[in-house]
Amino acid sequence: MKRSLRKIEKEVKQYKAEVDKVIASEKSPAPKAGAMAPMEAMAIPGMVGGHGPAIVPLAVSDPTSQQLTPLLLAQSLKLYLNDPNFVAQGTEYGFPATTAFGLGTLLFDPSLYPGLDAIPMRAALYSAGFSQADVDAAIAQLYGTDVQFTVQANITWQSTGVTVGPGAIAITYLSGEWTANPDTGLVNAAGNPNYIGKEGYALPGANEGALIGSVNGTAFLVGFGANVPQGLTGLLQLVINDDLSGIYGPGLTDNYGTVTVSIKSI
């Protein structure tokens, strides 16, 4: 027999008085002999400031009740404390195999926070213990990535702040000129086809001055535009194709100019 949301709310309210006593004493309630507690509980360290661990409803002991799912737990948590951070922490604690993207999708459920903006969503996922890379990837999947980034000609690998996840990311040249060699003049993101990058360049074999991308140390040509190669995950970095370490001369130090690109999830 499935429980209604109203029944969950009633159970949570009935349990709250006992929970308050537990928080105050920082001890778990002991069930009376011969009696079955209406709900089991779990302690989530640090979730209630100044009160030690929070005790939140985890599962109903009634064997005829609906099997606990992440959504059912999240609904119970929201009824207990309507805070996306609290709900995210408790759900992840109860179901530790949940991914950042999976938890974000869950929080969008109509019974939870269907209109949650990216900033509080990011805070909720961080509060659940996910890494910045996992959170960035989840936010990109949930809300889409659409940013503009300006790449400097005289700086080595520059972080775009975009973490590549399972979804496809497109990088498109928008504007700007730069040079990897002032003697040969300014070029756009396609670089100078008369000079080819050598060993020690960001991407040997590609035009000098071309826009190059990298994810987790794997470099690829962007030029006027490219999708991040499939299978790569991690922080997206961009740079001009030049002698990065100054093996053949001044390296990046004599470069100047910028190019601006669009980075979108597709």
Side-chain angles (χ1 to χ4, degrees), residues 17-151:
E18 187 65 27
V19 169
D20 288 339
K21 295 177 185 177
V22 173
I23 292 174
S25 63
E26 297 188 2
K27 294 180 180 179
S28 299
K32 295 180 180 179
M36 181 171 287
M39 301 186 79
E40 296 174 357
M42 67 178 178
I44 305 181
M47 292 186 66
V48 177
H51 297 288
I55 309 299
V56 299
L58 174 60
V60 176
S61 300
D62 180 0
T64 64
S65 66
Q66 180 180 349
Q67 183 179 2
L68 186 69
T69 65
L71 178 58
L72 190 59
L73 174 58
Q75 290 169 338
S76 297
L77 290 165
K78 184 186 178 187
L79 289 169
Y80 181 73
L81 179 61
N82 189 5
D83 180 343
N85 291 1
F86 179 80
V87 173
Q89 289 179 50
T91 304
E92 178 63 21
Y93 189 93
F95 291 87
T98 306
T99 64
F101 176 68
L103 182 57
T105 302
L106 181 70
L107 292 175
F108 274 152
D109 187 86
S111 66
L112 297 174
Y113 306 101
L116 195 64
D117 290 337
I119 292 176
M121 175 67 81
R122 181 179 291 275
L125 297 180
Y126 274 131
S127 73
F130 290 105
S131 68
Q132 179 175 342
D134 287 340
V135 172
D136 287 346
I139 293 298
Q141 289 178 275
L142 292 167
Y143 296 92
T145 298
D146 187 356
V147 300
Q148 289 188 12
F149 185 80
T150 297
V151 191

Side-chain angles (χ1 to χ4, degrees), residues 3 6-16 38-39 60 62:
R3 296 179 301 142
R6 184 179 297 276
K7 185 175 181 181
I8 296 173
E9 182 177 10
K10 181 179 178 181
E11 290 170 341
V12 172
K13 286 181 178 178
Q14 290 174 342
Y15 195 71
K16 189 176 185 302
M39 301 186 79
V60 176
D62 180 0

